[in-house]
Amino acid sequence: MKRNTEFVCSNCGYSSSKWLGKCPSCGQFNTFYEEEIIEKKEVSSYRKFEESKISSLTDIEINKEQRLITGIEEFDRVLGGGIVKGSLILMGGEPGAGKSTLALTVAGKIAKNDKKVLYISAEESDAQIKLRADRLDINSKNLFLIIETGVEKIVNIIEKENPELVIIDSIQTVYKETIDSYAGSVNQVRESCAQILYTAKRLNIPILIIGHITKEGMIAGPKILEHMVDAVLYFEAEKYYQFKILRSVKNRFGSVNEIGIFEMTSSGLLEIKSPSKIFLDNLQKEKAGSGIVTVMEGTRPLLLEIQALTSRRNFGVPQRTVIGVDYNRFLIIIAILERKLNLHLENQDVFVNVSGGIRIFETAADLGIAAAIYSSFKNIKIPTNLIFIGELGLDGEIRPVNFMEARISEAEKLGFERCVIPERVKTGNTKLDIIKIKNIIDILNIIKKGGE
Ligand code: TYD
Ligand code: MG
């Protein structure tokens, strides 16, 4: 009998003639399952045959891209300044992350500006959405709800209604009738998305599609769609446990790695415009075992407090415990402090924690971590109007880091007064008192002075 099925990775769409335990393309385990092979002819049937247009590069006129501004600053910034007309945006996230809430909020804002918005739900009833809208205080005549799962019908509605924005919640629950596999399978998700993409481009209408990420194999992951769409946003709920982070990982119309920070409240998502302020709330004037550092989230600097505690251990192997900082970097910093500053940490338990439950992946925080450990061990108070920026080399040298001007200007905005930075870096115009240091040894003077 002729084989007409293949095995497809639900994470990335890789296909193989036999079942595989590990996907050779994306490295995920247990993601393969069997699916009908779809005929190529059928796939592209929705594209009408047209002759390709050929244009010389010099003849192409650029219209400045038009954008829909939602007024939700955190959302607009992540997209590079609003929703570009005719773009297809994918918003992924785990169930319960707040995708539908954010999408409905966006729809409400656009509809309020007298623009027609279609909110197409393929997984909730209109009553459910109405309930959510009531909670979010959205009530607009221009916002239309459609409960529909067939992608052909969805395209027809979009064509007929000609709205200014379309939201489809979610891509895993829509399906194309001509394809003989269930909604959520790789083929369905890929083909439905292709048709939606074609519609967005043809009609120049921006479409926001929502995609669930689950680790179970049977639901096709939004990874398959990443290369098709213009922008990919992920809604993360875990990394910063008190906040929800909207992150852009692909954007054809703006910079990636921008983040928007929200908090889920009983009446919807609240924008957090100045996160550093929250992380540094209730900071005492001076403190032992504390160092303020900056980390970059996209193009935005965040100021965080590193807390360190050392305590003497009389027997047994001393503990090294960190939360939010890379463990190996922390061990390197301890070794540098021991060797270069002659700090006797060999009989000390050392704990390091980052405020707000944030994880730091940057070396720019090295100097602040070292300062916090040193000040805890020596029990010298560091004034909290001081911030530390710099990477530590193994020889104790302080190395420059990127985005120096942005980091310093954020510190200035938040009322910091002094800033310890590596030598030979540009600081731009700043009112801060800049202290340039070459080596970790120089930090002794600063911390001592601070404690006076
Ligand atoms: P939801 O947007 O439905 O998540 P997703 O579409 O990503 O699956 O909602 C996420 C959670 O937020 C849900 O558990 C209910 C809660 N929630 C609030 O706390 N306040 C609100 O105003 C709303 C609308 C939801
Ligand atoms: Mg939802």
Side-chain angles (χ1 to χ4, degrees):
M1 200 183 82
K2 204 178 139 256
R3 272 192 76 82
N4 58 354
T5 62
E6 62 185 344
F7 290 87
V8 187
C9 169
S10 61
N11 185 49
C12 69
Y14 181 87
S15 64
S16 147
S17 57
K18 60 178 198 304
W19 188 87
L20 297 170
K22 183 185 177 187
C23 175
S25 169
C26 68
Q28 295 284 316
F29 286 93
N30 217 6
T31 52
F32 277 84
Y33 69 98
E34 199 166 6
E35 220 173 69
E36 273 318 283
I37 294 175
I38 32 171
E39 296 277 330
K40 230 3 223 179
K41 238 180 19 214
E42 197 182 319
V43 174
S44 42
S45 62
Y46 55 85
R47 293 189 189 111
K48 294 197 188 79
F49 179 76
E50 287 163 20
E51 226 168 272
S52 306
K53 205 175 102 201
I54 169 164
S55 6
S56 156
L57 194 58
T58 51
D59 295 342
I60 299 172
E61 278 181 41
I62 314 173
N63 296 331
K64 208 180 165 314
E65 64 206 19
Q66 290 173 298
R67 290 181 186 258
L68 285 178
I69 310 288
T70 65
I72 309 168
E73 269 178 49
E74 297 293 294
F75 181 79
D76 287 339
R77 194 189 48 250
V78 170
L79 281 175
I83 303 170
V84 174
K85 290 233 169 113
S87 67
L88 183 64
I89 302 162
L90 170 69
M91 179 156 73
E94 289 183 5
K99 301 178 295 297
S100 303
T101 307
L102 182 58
L104 192 60
T105 312
V106 167
K109 290 275 185 188
I110 299 291
K112 218 173 160 190
N113 290 340
D114 273 344
K115 294 196 163 92
K116 191 171 186 176
V117 180
L118 298 188
Y119 189 104
I120 302 168
S121 179
E123 57 183 40
E124 286 171 310
S125 69
D126 47 3
Q128 273 174 306
I129 299 166
K130 173 73 180 159
L131 250 150
R132 182 180 290 125
D134 283 347
R135 247 174 115 167
L136 303 176
D137 203 18
I138 295 170
N139 196 4
S140 169
K141 273 208 163 78
N142 294 312
L143 177 52
F144 296 90
L145 293 185
I146 297 141
I147 310 298
E148 183 53 70
T149 49
V151 78
E152 289 90 348
K153 286 188 197 149
I154 288 176
V155 168
N156 282 342
I157 296 167
I158 297 174
E159 210 158 333
K160 205 176 96 213
E161 298 291 328
N162 194 25
E164 307 234 16
L165 174 69
V166 177
I167 287 166
I168 300 177
D169 186 2
S170 66
I171 188 70
Q172 274 104 349
T173 44
V174 299
Y175 71 96
K176 213 170 136 75
E177 267 164 30
T178 48
I179 295 177
D180 197 19
S181 48
Y182 49 87
S185 68
V186 174
N187 281 338
Q188 279 291 2
V189 166
R190 199 165 36 196
E191 289 312 316
S192 304
C193 184
Q195 187 156 1
I196 293 165
L197 172 70
Y198 183 63
T199 308
K201 300 292 162 198
R202 189 167 50 100
L203 304 174
N204 198 28
I205 295 172
I207 303 182
L208 175 71
I209 51 178
I210 291 176
H212 296 287
I213 308 173
T214 61
K215 288 180 185 101
E216 281 137 36
M218 296 317 263
I219 295 178
K223 280 251 172 309
I224 305 165
L225 308 176
E226 277 182 3
H227 67 277
M228 283 190 192
V229 301
D230 295 307
V232 182
L233 312 178
Y234 279 111
F235 215 6
E236 298 170 359
E238 267 171 32
K239 194 171 152 198
Y240 307 90
Y241 55 78
Q242 41 179 323
F243 300 115
K244 311 231 177 228
I245 307 286
L246 185 69
R247 185 184 297 275
S248 124
V249 293
K250 168 180 176 179
N251 191 353
R252 287 187 181 143
F253 307 105
S255 94
V256 285
N257 281 328
E258 280 292 353
I259 63 164
I261 306 185
F262 298 90
E263 192 178 347
M264 186 61 93
T265 66
S266 57
S267 57
L269 287 161
L270 194 74
E271 290 181 71
I272 308 288
K273 289 185 185 156
S274 183
S276 303
K277 253 197 194 127
I278 292 170
F279 296 133
L280 300 176
D281 217 15
N282 301 326
L283 212 57
Q284 299 154 15
K285 268 192 109 183
E286 50 175 26
K287 221 168 159 184
S290 160
I292 314 291
V293 300
T294 62
V295 294
M296 297 303 293
E297 279 291 358
T299 57
R300 177 157 76 171
L302 268 186
L303 270 71
L304 302 171
E305 185 194 7
I306 306 268
Q307 298 175 334
L309 181 70
T310 62
S311 82
R312 197 179 153 78
R313 169 171 279 243
N314 291 322
F315 59 90
V317 183
Q319 273 188 44
R320 305 275 182 253
T321 307
V322 288
I323 299 175
V325 174
D326 180 66
Y327 190 66
N328 288 326
R329 275 219 82 73
F330 161 74
L331 293 184
I332 291 175
I333 293 169
I334 288 193
I336 295 168
L337 288 173
E338 284 180 329
R339 275 296 292 277
K340 301 294 163 189
L341 302 187
N342 224 359
L343 223 57
H344 291 286
L345 295 170
E346 66 275 0
N347 59 354
Q348 299 283 325
D349 289 340
V350 184
F351 306 97
V352 167
N353 178 39
V354 183
S355 64
I358 293 201
R359 304 180 74 80
I360 297 181
F361 299 98
E362 271 192 274
T363 54
D366 288 358
L367 190 56
I369 298 170
I373 297 173
Y374 180 82
S375 95
S376 172
F377 181 70
K378 294 282 188 188
N379 205 14
I380 302 172
K381 286 183 178 162
I382 305 183
T384 48
N385 66 4
L386 179 67
I387 71 161
F388 295 93
I389 309 171
E391 177 184 327
L392 266 184
L394 290 189
D395 198 31
E397 77 274 19
I398 313 293
R399 297 219 191 106
V401 294
N402 53 12
F403 297 111
M404 215 56 203
E405 289 180 27
R407 294 176 199 264
I408 291 173
S409 87
E410 176 76 5
E412 191 178 321
K413 262 189 249 158
L414 290 172
F416 284 83
E417 288 159 24
R418 295 192 295 158
C419 186
V420 183
I421 62 168
E423 268 203 336
R424 288 198 301 278
V425 290
K426 276 198 200 127
T427 57
N429 250 341
T430 173
K431 282 194 225 103
L432 288 189
D433 183 7
I434 300 284
I435 309 161
K436 292 192 173 180
I437 64 171
K438 227 186 193 160
N439 197 283
I440 188 72
I441 296 168
D442 306 328
I443 210 168
L444 301 185
N445 284 331
I446 296 158
I447 293 182
K448 261 183 216 142
K449 261 191 224 152
E452 271 164 16

